Amino acid sequence: MHSKVQAHSKVQVQTKVPIQTKVSVQVDADPNGSDATLTLSRSKRFPRTTMGGAIALALFALSTQASAATWKMALGDAAGGTQYELGTTFAKLIEEKTDGEIKVDLFPNGQLGSEQDTVNNASMGLLDLSVLAINNITPFSPTVGVMTLPYVIRSPEDAKTLTHGKVGQEMVDNTLRDAGVRILGWAYSGCRRLTNSERPVANPEDLKGMSIRVPKNEIMIAAYQAWGVNPNPLAWSETFTALQQGVVDGQDNPYITINAMKFYEVQKYVTDSCYVFSMEPLIIGEGMFQSLDESQQQAVLEAGKEATEHSYEYLLAQEDAIKKSLVDEHGMEITEPADDEKAWVDQATSIWPQFYDSIGGKEKLDEALTALGREPAP
């Protein structure tokens, strides 16, 4: 097992033996890895059987200490969002399923690096787990881009259908092949809603003159360009400050993320759009996964699946209440897109052919649309 023993892991065992002989056993665990040192000492000569018992006791202590692993999980979002909910649920489940053998510490708000950095770090074994926006894994595994093409996924039900079906399994397989990380589960965060600090936006032309922050994702950049906007790709960690200082006028994210990141402090207007449905895969480096024994692998997979189910129910239960609180408690104004979002859809879906090659061909998009009960792309 790829075991990470925490610092200050020292076990001391003492046993009394006949004629007031004392055996002292000390186990020192390396805080930077799973190596440990066993030291035995005695005050005077004593029978070999006693020494053997002391060694057995010490080895038991050593194995117990070495088997307890504390993993680090990186989260791009702040506590209170769907990433955090998925992470805490997974952490609770994996500890239960391994009888405390594996514990997980969460590091929200990009403490362990940008979301794209965490993909590299997980693949190289420098990080155990990460939950990140799907658009930040697409650069490493472009076929995942089928999930971020505008207006493919339009509801939580669509997202669940794809991630639980053949398309979702292909994403798992391709990400493993391309990026060296395994998708264990998904956080469902909801439709990305456009926010800005300038004015209500109902049509794409209402965006004229605005600077909108977008992720460093070619598909999402192209969508905004189709709406006549020159988007500003910024790292997630820089977004709040950029909005606060007026470097950009707006951004897009689900209601739950808008609330968790307190964007209501720097944004006034929300457009109730749904051009991309935000999902965040929970990933583990494949080297890390393969270092686990069979029962641990099974526990990890089960915990990921159950945490995914919880995330879906959490979104359904929380999103409407959070949307209402953004208006009632934080003074945001929500605008419905004009004409049932028709102009937004027509302009954004025109970019689909630009990305057929990167997602594995038009047939991959058609496969996703068919799974959702819709007609193939024109």
Side-chain angles (χ1 to χ4, degrees):
M1 176 182 170
H2 182 91
S3 181
K4 293 189 175 181
V5 183
Q6 290 179 302
H8 311 299
S9 298
K10 180 177 287 187
V11 180
Q12 288 189 315
V13 183
Q14 292 188 340
T15 181
K16 294 289 182 77
V17 295
I19 58 172
Q20 297 180 339
T21 302
K22 183 172 73 172
V23 180
S24 178
V25 182
Q26 180 172 301
V27 181
D28 291 308
D30 178 0
N32 297 315
S34 57
D35 296 335
T37 303
L38 174 66
T39 305
L40 298 98
S41 60
R42 55 187 173 131
S43 58
K44 59 172 69 177
R45 185 180 183 86
F46 54 88
R48 180 175 300 182
T49 54
T50 303
M51 187 67 171
I55 293 173
L57 186 59
L59 290 176
F60 172 78
L62 177 61
S63 64
T64 300
Q65 190 70 18
S67 66
T70 299
W71 293 353
K72 290 183 178 181
M73 179 188 291
L75 305 175
D77 287 355
T82 49
Q83 289 190 5
Y84 193 82
E85 187 69 21
L86 179 78
T88 54
T89 303
F90 178 87
K92 180 176 180 288
L93 288 168
I94 196 62
E95 184 170 354
E96 290 175 353
K97 291 178 181 294
T98 61
D99 295 324
E101 195 173 86
I102 299 174
K103 300 178 186 293
V104 179
D105 287 341
L106 275 62
F107 294 84
N109 243 352
Q111 293 180 59
L112 301 184
S114 73
E115 290 190 345
Q116 290 191 14
D117 286 343
T118 66
V119 180
N120 279 324
N121 291 340
S123 69
M124 293 187 293
L126 303 176
L127 176 66
D128 305 312
L129 301 161
S130 179
V131 184
L132 67 156
I134 190 170
N135 48 273
N136 282 323
I137 205 167
T138 305
F140 301 91
S141 186
T143 59
V144 178
V146 72
M147 300 278 207
T148 59
L149 285 173
Y151 295 104
V152 170
I153 300 176
R154 299 191 178 191
S155 68
E157 294 75 19
D158 284 354
K160 186 175 182 179
T161 295
L162 291 187
T163 54
H164 283 60
K166 180 183 176 183
V167 173
Q169 186 56 52
E170 285 184 2
M171 297 303 100
V172 173
D173 295 342
N174 293 347
T175 303
L176 183 58
R177 178 197 67 205
D178 299 337
V181 297
R182 178 182 293 262
I183 297 174
L184 300 175
W186 299 88
Y188 301 103
S189 294
C191 294
R192 295 182 74 105
R193 318 291 182 173
L194 173 67
T195 72
N196 80 91
S197 59
E198 296 296 310
R199 55 184 175 268
V201 171
N203 291 291
E205 53 264 32
D206 295 332
L207 291 171
K208 185 176 181 180
M210 288 194 201
S211 176
I212 306 297
R213 177 269 172 185
V214 295
K216 296 177 180 179
N217 177 277
E218 292 183 3
I219 293 174
M220 299 169 83
I221 291 170
Y224 273 92
Q225 290 172 337
W227 292 325
V229 177
N230 185 21
N232 190 341
L234 288 176
W236 181 229
S237 60
E238 301 171 7
T239 301
F240 187 93
T241 301
L243 292 168
Q244 187 177 47
Q245 296 178 351
V247 175
V248 292
D249 302 306
Q251 61 88 49
D252 64 67
N253 263 292
Y255 285 121
I256 291 177
T257 306
I258 293 168
N259 184 64
M261 299 301 293
K262 299 184 178 180
F263 284 149
Y264 51 77
E265 295 181 356
V266 291
Q267 300 278 269
K268 175 69 174 177
Y269 305 99
V270 184
T271 302
D272 200 34
S273 53
C274 189
Y275 87 107
V276 168
F277 189 96
S278 187
M279 298 182 292
E280 290 93 0
L282 165 62
I283 62 169
I284 184 172
E286 183 61 9
M288 172 73 159
F289 182 80
Q290 293 300 333
S291 72
L292 304 175
D293 64 36
E294 187 175 343
S295 66
Q296 291 166 336
Q297 289 182 351
Q298 187 63 29
V300 166
L301 294 173
E302 289 177 0
K305 182 177 180 181
E306 292 175 28
T308 298
E309 294 293 338
H310 173 80
S311 178
Y312 182 77
E313 297 301 326
Y314 178 81
L315 171 64
L316 298 184
Q318 297 294 321
E319 186 174 45
D320 285 345
I322 289 174
K323 177 181 179 180
K324 187 174 186 299
S325 75
L326 290 173
V327 175
D328 295 346
E329 298 177 26
H330 302 296
M332 299 193 83
E333 296 182 14
I334 297 179
T335 300
E336 293 296 325
D339 196 20
D340 198 27
E341 217 165 333
K342 185 178 185 304
W344 300 89
V345 174
D346 291 346
Q347 293 172 29
T349 56
S350 70
I351 73 167
W352 283 358
Q354 297 178 37
F355 298 97
Y356 286 162
D357 288 345
S358 65
I359 66 172
K362 178 180 179 291
E363 62 271 18
K364 294 300 180 183
L365 173 59
D366 289 342
E367 183 180 318
L369 294 172
T370 300
L372 297 174
R374 288 153 57 189
E375 293 296 321

